[in-house]
């Protein structure tokens, strides 16, 4: 395996926070298993980089819950941004592919939470990178009545939030299956 970390359009980055976000619905079983199998290699490469101070967070998304939806959560923060490889690896190992009753999933809600929830733990001044694994488009819009937030989430609102979050905005790297 070869892992190459490239921060597009950035120079002189000394500190980067990477958030690993997975679609953990039932169709993602083999993809999640592959990331889990390679987690130690990925973490060793990032956390061992002598040129950039990497910290990593972990979470997953499913779909919404309630009367119509049956998921236990739409987004779950498993590990806030950290450099503790044991805790990060444990969070990745806890991903389970299950559920998903319709095609659109909850990644726009997850992206909104990644930008707007201070519990994520982004370090001040760090380059923010989200790597997400998924195989389906997201609900757009996400109505306030479903999300429980006081506002509607749309692709446009998420893009605007990501562009304004962190030095130079937040870089998204999507891995689609």
């Amino acid at each position: 395996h070869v892992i190459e970390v490239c921060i597009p359009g950035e120079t002189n980055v000394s500190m980067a926070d990477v958030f690993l976000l997975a679609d953990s619905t039932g169709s993602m079983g083999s993809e999640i298993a592959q990331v889990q199998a390679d987690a130690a290699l990925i973490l060793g490469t990032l956390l061992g980089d002598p040129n950039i101070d990497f910290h990593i967070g972990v979470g997953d998304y499913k779909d919404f819950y309630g009367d119509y939806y049956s998921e236990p959560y739409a987004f779950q923060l498993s590990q806030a941004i950290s450099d503790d490889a044991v805790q990060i690896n444990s969070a990745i190992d806890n991903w389970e592919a299950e559920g998903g009753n319709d095609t659109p999933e909850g990644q726009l809600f997850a992206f909104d939470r990644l930008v707007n929830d201070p519990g994520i733990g982004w370090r001040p001044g760090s380059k923010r990178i989200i790597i997400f694994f998924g195989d389906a488009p997201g609900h757009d819009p996400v109505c306030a009545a479903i999300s429980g937030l006081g506002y509607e989430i749309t692709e446009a609102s998420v893009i605007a939030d990501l562009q304004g979050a962190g030095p130079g905005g937040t870089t998204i790297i999507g891995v689609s299956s």
Side-chain angles (χ1 to χ4, degrees):
H1 292 109
V2 174
I3 297 175
E4 183 176 332
V5 178
C6 177
I7 303 174
E10 299 290 330
T11 58
N12 299 323
V13 173
S14 62
M15 183 171 59
D17 290 342
V18 176
F19 196 93
L20 300 175
L21 178 67
D23 170 347
S24 61
T25 58
S27 61
M28 291 293 293
S30 61
E31 291 84 351
I32 286 174
Q34 187 65 56
V35 174
Q36 289 169 329
D38 292 338
L41 177 63
I42 294 166
L43 297 178
T45 300
L46 292 176
L47 296 175
D49 189 316
N51 300 311
I52 299 177
D53 175 18
F54 280 104
H55 282 204
I56 301 169
V58 178
D60 65 300
Y61 64 89
K62 292 186 179 293
D63 209 338
F64 294 93
Y65 44 87
D67 294 335
Y68 177 73
Y69 302 103
S70 62
E71 304 297 345
Y73 56 85
F75 167 70
Q76 177 173 262
L77 172 62
S78 303
Q79 175 61 52
I81 302 289
S82 168
D83 64 349
D84 185 325
V86 172
Q87 289 182 335
I88 296 164
N89 196 63
S90 177
I92 293 169
D93 282 346
N94 285 330
W95 283 342
E96 288 186 45
E98 59 189 8
N101 297 323
D102 61 0
T103 298
E105 307 299 358
Q107 65 264 46
L108 292 181
F109 178 76
F111 291 147
D112 177 87
R113 297 295 72 218
L114 289 176
V115 171
N116 294 306
D117 180 353
I120 302 302
W122 301 106
R123 294 176 295 166
S126 70
K127 174 61 186 165
R128 295 179 180 191
I129 302 166
I130 299 170
I131 301 173
F132 85 99
F133 312 90
D135 67 351
H139 286 281
D140 185 13
V142 178
C143 303
I146 293 174
S147 72
L149 301 172
Y151 54 90
E152 188 172 272
I153 300 168
T154 65
E155 180 180 347
S157 71
V158 166
I159 289 170
D161 282 352
L162 290 166
Q163 288 174 336
T170 301
T171 298
I172 301 284
I173 299 171
V175 180
S176 176
S177 61

